[in-house]
Amino acid sequence: AQKVTQAQTEISVVEKEDVTLDCVYETRDTTYYLFWYKQPPSGELVFLIRRNSFDEQNEISGRYSWNFQKSTSSFNFTITASQVVDSAVYFCALIDQTGANNLFFGTGTRLTVIP
Amino acid sequence: EPEVTQTPSHQVTQMGQEVILRCVPISNHLYFYWYRQILGQKVEFLVSFYNNEISEKSEIFDDQFSVERPDGSNFTLKIRSTKLEDSAMYFCASSDGQAFRPQHFGDGTRLSIL
């Protein structure tokens, strides 16, 4: 069965600090995809990134970067030089072959960036 | 940029009443989904829909729930006899035809059962 663990329930940082959000996953499948979604206070879910199980290259997009390590089953998300607009709940999610095409979400990490 | 739209944004209903939540997926997408998020909790999968039939459903999606694509653009979730525990944010999502593709979510409908 799939499992996505986001052990950090809430994180607070001061603006301009870097912050890393942890995600650990479990799956029996060899083919799977990992996702990060952002849920700002307005409530919508915003897709940030998708990474497949065969591509362990780290990815950087502006102030966002993702570190995928199959050896530790982790897919961590770092925000560099955080801004107040980054305040949101961030969800890590998994799609594997067992779950067909359904997203299996972690419990989310609430990030608060203090000005 | 194309987006998934959901109506209404907030629905208040008496317990035992039927409710229909509406979604317009992105026009060239083929897979449609409903998810639920109880306040303060994680997002949970309810059902997926492809080629005019249910592809997969979770344990949450019991006989009280049904989905329909009544025309070429709308995708609806019906809860036949609402319960207090159905109070949640309901998200519709859609993706294009390939497996593992990103799912794009609507802004959600907040359902409040009184």
Side-chain angles (χ1 to χ4, degrees):
Chain A
Q2 319 99 322
K3 188 174 181 181
V4 176
T5 301
Q6 295 181 255
Q8 304 150 308
T9 308
E10 294 190 31
I11 300 176
S12 292
V13 298
V14 177
E15 202 171 19
K16 298 184 183 173
E17 285 184 347
D18 300 347
V19 59
T20 295
L21 310 181
D22 298 333
C23 173
V24 175
Y25 62 91
E26 290 179 30
T27 174
R28 292 183 185 148
D29 294 334
T30 55
T31 300
Y32 54 89
Y33 279 73
L34 296 161
F35 300 78
W36 277 94
Y37 281 84
K38 174 182 180 180
Q39 188 175 42
S42 47
E44 71 271 25
L45 283 165
V46 180
F47 165 73
L48 294 178
I49 189 171
R50 178 186 72 146
R51 171 67 68 204
N52 76 59
S53 52
F54 301 107
D55 181 3
E56 286 193 72
Q57 271 194 324
N58 290 334
E59 180 151 343
I60 298 174
S61 176
R63 296 185 296 106
Y64 294 172
S65 62
W66 290 269
N67 183 325
F68 176 30
Q69 293 196 333
K70 286 180 78 169
S71 60
T72 55
S73 297
S74 64
F75 185 44
N76 296 336
F77 173 29
T78 297
I79 302 174
T80 303
S82 58
Q83 300 176 0
V84 173
V85 293
D86 297 327
S87 296
V89 180
Y90 291 86
F91 290 97
C92 180
L94 165 75
I95 292 180
D96 64 11
Q97 293 163 304
T98 305
N101 211 34
N102 316 321
L103 278 164
F104 190 84
F105 284 84
T107 50
T109 297
R110 180 178 300 278
L111 173 66
T112 302
V113 180
I114 303 165
Chain B
E1 186 176 318
E3 58 183 28
V4 176
T5 57
Q6 289 185 243
T7 54
S9 56
H10 191 192
Q11 174 82 45
V12 181
T13 301
Q14 292 287 336
M15 187 173 60
Q17 295 294 307
E18 175 183 286
V19 65
I20 297 176
L21 309 183
R22 292 184 165 80
C23 169
V24 178
I26 295 173
S27 61
N28 64 338
H29 283 185
L30 301 176
Y31 287 86
F32 314 117
Y33 310 85
W34 283 101
Y35 289 82
R36 180 182 82 175
Q37 184 182 30
I38 294 171
L39 186 63
Q41 298 186 22
K42 69 176 180 180
V43 181
E44 300 173 289
F45 168 74
L46 292 178
V47 66
S48 58
F49 192 87
Y50 171 70
N51 201 26
N52 284 318
E53 59 183 25
I54 291 174
S55 307
E56 188 106 6
K57 59 183 181 179
S58 71
E59 294 172 352
I60 303 168
F61 194 87
D62 61 22
D63 292 343
Q64 297 293 330
F65 291 89
S66 62
V67 288
E68 194 177 34
R69 188 154 164 82
D71 52 44
S73 58
N74 289 284
F75 178 53
T76 63
L77 172 69
K78 182 193 289 187
I79 309 175
R80 188 164 57 234
S81 179
T82 50
K83 303 187 281 285
L84 291 175
E85 54 264 38
D86 293 327
S87 294
M89 180 76 93
Y90 288 81
F91 289 102
C92 173
S94 69
S95 65
D96 63 22
Q98 300 175 39
F100 305 112
R101 293 291 292 167
Q103 294 174 22
H104 296 272
F105 285 77
D107 289 349
T109 294
R110 180 164 298 286
L111 178 63
S112 300
I113 307 300
L114 303 179

